[in-house]
Amino acid sequence: MAGQQREISVSEFFAKNRHLLGFDNPRKALLATVKEAVDNALDACEEAGILPDIRVEILSLTETRFKITVRDNGPGIVRKQIDLIFGKLLYGSKFHRLKMSRGQQGIGISAAGMYGLMTTGKPVLIISRTSKRKPTHEVVLKMDTSKNKPDIISDTEHPGENTLFPDGHGTQVVIELEGRYQKGRQSIDEYLEQTAIANPHARITFVTPSNETIEFPRTVKELPADAKEIKPHPRGIELGTLIQMLERTGATQLGGFLKNDFCRVGPAKAKEICSKAGLTTRSWVKQLGHAEAEALYNAIQEVRITAPPMDCVVPIGPKALLSGLLKEVKAEFYAASSRSPAVYRGNPFLIEAALAYGGDLNVDEPARVLRFANRVPLLYQQSACASFKATVETSWRSYELSQPKGSLPQGPLMIMIHMASVWVPFTSESKEAIADYDEIRKEMKLALQECGRKLGTYVRRRKRMDRQSHARDVLLRYIGEISKSCEGMTGTSAKKIYDALMKQAKKKTAEADAILDEEGKVIRKVDDADTVIVQERQGGGEGAFAQDLFNDEPAGPRQTKKKKSMKNKRKK
């Protein structure tokens, strides 16, 4: 039995359990590959201060085999890093730092290459350039899953100009794999559309397998603010983690360890923590045992420590959220909300929400929920996500929407929830759903309620406007006939009587002419030709009716029919 024991590599484990990474069926595998490549491209461009320009091409080789090409205008990859980034699992720069970023684990793009190698036997092609003064590197590699190491097949330098990168820098990745392309929900098209909503500063070009080109233009010409890296917060660590940090620290004394290895711990706070633990700031770190470490941990829990700094988290912002929704969703009302930063397990996070109502959105279906984590769309495992649970728990009936018990609200509504954090607690390695922490769900509900209040104000006012508009339509049917009858009895001009009655009708139904802002508040009232446009759009109006009454020209078929019906009623 002892002779059968052997070590397995992490890549060998994930090769047999690829469903953990999101490669559990051909359609999902195709999406996961595009997602990981695009996320890496966006991260690289933003960290280098470059407005992202990304091109995604999917070439259909057979019915079940595709070649995916993703190219960006980022800073490029240094040659010695190409092998490890694309040929080794759990290798990256983001796992050990507390800073908002799309990638976290160092698995994604290398796992996509591993899946392609397993299903087609074809290696990954990487072309990268870091400067116009430096050559372009073209590397073909595959992963040795038994050792979790890259295996270089070819390495070529191209010193001349490269038409792939007009700016002189960028990266292109080509992966051939088994998959299935299908439009609709949970598709590559939907992923790129939602990515464009959450990243309005990016321009994305998508070439489908049918050779159709879809453009997602850039609507914001400014990059998001650069997130700052922070150190761990003392209230967010556990006892075992604290012991490991004590063993690995470069500080010699306990005071220096607390000040240098944690955030929000100054000299006075370090002294207070040490005092409560029965230690001093001059205690030697190497002489601390398990009992001292546990006393130190308990002291940290008792001492009041300022929340971690929030410049490590960068929100999309209400303005950019609305810009993204306006670009991709045709609705009549938009609202956005950005919450103040909060903390879970010592990790800073921030929740944003936005919604679109009316317009072209489907009236007969439940509301659609768009979920994002650090600007990345989450398309699978919706019911397991804290975003979905917070949406269901929100009382949408208070905002004039119908909502079956324990379900999403019904109506023409699209809801968007974004979580920005230094460490998003995903439910699995495939990063498809956010774990249901109480602190996170509470902030999501508060953000949704802020948007809901704006929506409720708008919907209630819109209903009043519609009622008054309908009342005016009824009045308009009879004002003309009353004017003519009064002229026959009194001799006063029908036009004069009509204008007087119309003035009263407008006064009594003034709210029908109001125009609402994004919060449902009246921003101006229209007493001119704009009313005519609205009324005509709703089916007839004062402009058309007045022309029919007081012009000598014959009325059109629709007005003629209306006059006849009124004459018949008068005779009766």
Side-chain angles (χ1 to χ4, degrees), residues 333 335-337 449-458 518-520:
F333 173 81
S337 170
Q449 287 168 357
E450 284 186 29
C451 292
R453 285 191 290 271
K454 298 177 183 178
L455 175 63
T457 303
Y458 175 83
E518 64 180 19
E519 295 185 356

Side-chain angles (χ1 to χ4, degrees), residues 165-221:
F165 312 117
D167 297 331
H169 50 78
T171 303
Q172 176 174 290
V173 184
V174 182
I175 300 176
E176 191 173 324
L177 49 76
E178 292 282 343
R180 181 163 61 91
Y181 176 77
Q182 184 177 339
K183 292 187 176 183
R185 293 290 176 89
Q186 299 179 333
S187 65
I188 294 174
D189 302 69
E190 184 185 28
Y191 163 74
L192 293 176
E193 178 185 344
Q194 293 189 21
T195 299
I197 292 175
N199 301 271
H201 61 284
R203 179 168 60 230
I204 303 174
T205 303
F206 177 40
V207 182
T208 68
S210 58
N211 206 27
E212 175 189 2
T213 301
I214 303 174
E215 296 281 349
F216 299 95
R218 180 183 292 118
T219 57
V220 175
K221 296 184 178 180

Side-chain angles (χ1 to χ4, degrees), residues 298-344:
N298 293 332
I300 289 173
Q301 308 309 310
E302 296 175 7
V303 173
R304 183 172 183 149
I305 303 174
T306 308
M310 296 300 171
D311 54 0
C312 56
V313 176
V314 179
I316 299 174
K319 184 177 178 181
L321 282 172
L322 293 175
S323 175
L325 282 175
L326 282 165
K327 180 177 65 171
E328 301 296 336
V329 182
K330 293 181 180 179
E332 68 180 67
F333 173 81
Y334 302 87
S337 170
S338 185
R339 294 283 303 165
S340 300
V343 179
Y344 85 96

Side-chain angles (χ1 to χ4, degrees), residues 328-334 357-363 412-414:
E328 301 296 336
V329 182
K330 293 181 180 179
E332 68 180 67
F333 173 81
Y334 302 87
Y357 175 82
D360 293 345
L361 297 173
N362 200 317
V363 180
L413 181 66
M414 178 179 286

